[in-house]
Amino acid sequence: MKIAITGKGGVGKTTLSGTLACILSQHYKVFAIDADPDMNLASSLGITEPITPISKMKDLIKERTGAESGSSFGEVFKMNPKISDLPESLSINYDDKGNLKLLVMGTVDKGGEGCVCPASVLLKALLRNLILKKDEIVILDMEAGIEHLGRKTAEAVDLMIIVVEPGLKSIETAERIKRLATDIGIPKIACVINKASNEAEENFVVQKLKEIGLDVIGSIPRDENVIKADMEGHPLVNYPESTAFKSIEKIAEIILGQDEG
Amino acid sequence: MKIAITGKGGVGKTTLSGTLACILSQHYKVFAIDADPDMNLASSLGITEPITPISKMKDLIKERTGAESGSSFGEVFKMNPKISDLPESLSINYDDKGNLKLLVMGTVDKGGEGCVCPASVLLKALLRNLILKKDEIVILDMEAGIEHLGRKTAEAVDLMIIVVEPGLKSIETAERIKRLATDIGIPKIACVINKASNEAEENFVVQKLKEIGLDVIGSIPRDENVIKADMEGHPLVNYPESTAFKSIEKIAEIILGQDEG
């Protein structure tokens, strides 16, 4: 299964992506991909080592596959469509078991160097040609907002999760994402509510999302542990007893249940 | 003066941009520009009318200036460098006085239509060629993260404000923004802290920013009124007695003081 986590900036995409990846890696081989040029997924997993980005991948893959110079990115990935075959140097193992690997799309290295369109094209080709085994899951932490939907970076995902917080701005963004994701043919779209302080706030968001035709598959209440974890530079999995972590465990179960159903 | 408001997604760029624009419009002609394809600035001002985006500007300006077909965007703007001369249809007046006008860069209308690079090029050319009068201020609400710095959308601003919240992720983003903004030659970079719940959180952020060489020009404490305003779809200026609003008033004074100094 390929899952993309989207939403307005700051709603908690990276915390959900990282924590979900850790939880699912207990039973699956998980490939967590940071598709945001302003990369935070590694730090949300507590990883500080530098990772070679996918945008530096073309040469590496050529080296391994012997793909001819001049072949398009799509062709290169078609020749090597198993994510488990990707060069080790591109990913970092999260724990000893090696069930969770982290890949990063690429960032802006220098002011004025241009957009991240070429990196997006690479990632899109990778996702399109990727053949996953039954026990493999890809989780994409997308960049904030909607530009990636213009680029169709995540067109090949099975499920797009939109993270929404109490407030009209993030709901407005959810509505835009829904419309654009439908344009590019994403088969399943669902919402996760984050940071509701009480039931009234949660109900407010559920109701608004219902009006625009979006289902809610889970809610992560506001939890000081999330802020604490970010201030200390620790991943949320270090707080397995926190409400936020337990809520994400439930969301993981629901996602897996939907996949089987 | 041209000011760009930047930072990680969700730190409060739009709330600061919109509120600052309102406050400054009491004494200046303010042009607030939404440079985020996932546009929220209008709703943070309580504006619901649709606005023609700058990305539809080329034909309109040609119509007015008689610029020849085939001339580059830069040339078109050079012929018409006063923002007060821009076609009225591109902007919306915020109040009766007409001291605050809102322009929008443009969004993604259809999934898969491409990136927003062309719209960024237009906005960059506009900003570069713009000649402001003494009593005119431009406030740019930038998109989340760092890609706009690769594109140099805001290269012609006098001051870049980075909004930071308590947490290492937004501080990491601030560090990246500082480095990339320096690359493209932004003359002044300063931080505003947002959403600190207490003095300890504020001091934590101040200290971290100091370590990476960033000055703090103000702090907006966590204020439930901001969440309330967003849930009700009201601008923060409707809460003139709130701590958040009063903090932004102080920041406005400091910005104006720096400009004179």
Side-chain angles (χ1 to χ4, degrees), chain A residues 53-183:
Chain A
I54 297 176
S55 54
K56 307 265 160 79
M57 186 186 267
K58 206 183 165 190
D59 290 344
L60 274 165
I61 294 201
K62 258 189 210 160
E63 212 180 282
R64 284 173 59 110
T65 61
E68 266 173 53
S69 171
S71 36
S72 78
F73 296 139
E75 278 172 58
V76 171
F77 289 120
K78 260 183 217 157
M79 294 177 66
N80 201 21
K82 288 182 197 141
I83 197 162
S84 45
D85 287 345
L86 286 179
E88 283 299 319
S89 63
L90 290 170
S91 65
I92 277 198
N93 282 314
Y94 175 63
D95 55 18
D96 299 340
K97 287 186 244 158
N99 272 346
L100 172 53
K101 289 188 179 184
L102 173 67
L103 290 92
V104 302
M105 181 183 76
T107 184
V108 179
D109 287 322
K110 203 170 153 36
E113 73 174 11
C115 58
V116 297
C117 295
S120 305
V121 168
L122 267 168
L123 179 57
K124 185 162 69 175
L126 170 68
L127 289 169
R128 196 191 289 141
N129 293 294
L130 211 57
I131 297 162
L132 292 183
K133 292 186 199 149
K134 250 290 184 213
D135 66 341
E136 290 176 339
I137 291 178
V138 170
I139 295 177
L140 280 162
D141 183 20
M142 301 307 295
E143 69 181 318
I146 58 167
E147 184 171 10
H148 64 84
L149 287 155
R151 290 169 168 150
K152 295 203 282 186
T153 317
E155 61 170 354
V157 302
D158 309 298
L159 169 65
M160 182 166 281
I161 292 177
I162 312 173
V163 187
V164 184
E165 63 182 13
L168 294 180
K169 284 182 207 156
S170 87
I171 293 168
E172 245 177 56
T173 300
E175 188 171 9
R176 284 179 196 146
I177 290 176
K178 188 203 171 211
R179 186 168 52 76
L180 300 172
T182 308
D183 283 346

Side-chain angles (χ1 to χ4, degrees), chain A residues 38-39 116 147 151 176, chain B residues 38-39 116 147 151 176:
Chain A
D38 185 21
M39 306 179 294
V116 297
E147 184 171 10
R151 290 169 168 150
R176 284 179 196 146
Chain B
D38 184 22
M39 306 180 294
V116 298
E147 185 170 10
R151 290 169 169 150
R176 284 180 196 143

Side-chain angles (χ1 to χ4, degrees), chain B:
Chain B
M1 183 166 43
K2 298 170 195 166
I3 306 167
I5 313 285
T6 61
K8 187 182 168 301
V11 291
K13 289 180 294 296
T14 303
T15 302
L16 177 61
S17 305
T19 313
L20 207 50
C22 286
I23 293 168
L24 293 173
S25 73
Q26 290 165 1
H27 302 287
Y28 293 82
K29 289 208 172 86
V30 178
F31 300 87
I33 304 181
D34 195 339
D36 184 356
D38 184 22
M39 306 180 294
N40 291 122
L41 188 56
S43 44
S44 91
L45 292 170
I47 293 173
T48 51
E49 302 160 66
I51 310 175
T52 312
I54 297 176
S55 54
K56 308 263 160 78
M57 185 184 267
K58 207 183 164 187
D59 289 343
L60 274 165
I61 293 202
K62 258 190 209 158
E63 208 180 284
R64 285 172 60 109
T65 60
E68 266 172 51
S69 170
S71 38
S72 77
F73 296 138
E75 279 171 58
V76 171
F77 289 120
K78 260 182 217 158
M79 294 176 67
N80 201 24
K82 287 182 198 143
I83 198 163
S84 45
D85 287 346
L86 287 180
E88 283 298 319
S89 63
L90 290 171
S91 66
I92 277 199
N93 282 313
Y94 174 65
D95 55 17
D96 298 341
K97 288 186 243 158
N99 272 346
L100 172 53
K101 290 189 178 182
L102 173 67
L103 289 92
V104 302
M105 182 184 77
T107 184
V108 179
D109 287 322
K110 202 170 153 40
E113 74 174 12
C115 57
V116 298
C117 296
S120 305
V121 169
L122 267 169
L123 180 56
K124 184 163 70 175
L126 170 68
L127 288 169
R128 197 191 288 142
N129 293 293
L130 210 57
I131 297 161
L132 292 183
K133 291 187 199 149
K134 250 294 187 208
D135 65 341
E136 290 176 338
I137 291 178
V138 170
I139 295 177
L140 279 162
D141 183 18
M142 302 305 296
E143 70 181 316
I146 58 169
E147 185 170 10
H148 64 84
L149 287 155
R151 290 169 169 150
K152 296 202 283 185
T153 317
E155 62 170 353
V157 302
D158 309 297
L159 169 65
M160 182 166 281
I161 292 178
I162 312 173
V163 187
V164 184
E165 65 184 12
L168 294 181
K169 284 183 208 155
S170 87
I171 293 168
E172 246 178 55
T173 300
E175 188 172 8
R176 284 180 196 143
I177 290 175
K178 188 203 171 212
R179 187 169 51 78
L180 300 172
T182 307
D183 283 346
I184 64 173
I186 306 286
K188 266 190 197 171
I189 306 166
C191 291
V192 164
I193 301 174
N194 192 17
K195 300 193 230 174
S197 297
N198 49 53
E199 221 174 298
E201 281 187 12
E202 192 178 308
N203 291 341
F204 170 85
V205 181
V206 171
Q207 184 54 38
K208 287 278 172 196
L209 292 174
K210 207 175 164 187
E211 285 165 22
I212 53 180
L214 279 168
D215 286 333
V216 174
I217 57 164
S219 179
I220 311 162
R222 175 172 291 285
D223 182 344
E224 288 304 315
N225 287 303
V226 178
I227 299 171
K228 209 173 141 194
D230 183 18
M231 287 191 42
E232 289 170 353
H234 292 150
L236 184 64
V237 284
N238 286 13
Y239 300 80
E241 294 308 317
S242 66
T243 320
F245 183 82
K246 291 198 172 293
S247 309
I248 299 175
E249 277 185 324
K250 271 190 215 162
I251 292 165
E253 277 171 37
I254 289 168
I255 292 172
L256 293 176
Q258 285 199 337
D259 191 39
E260 284 159 14

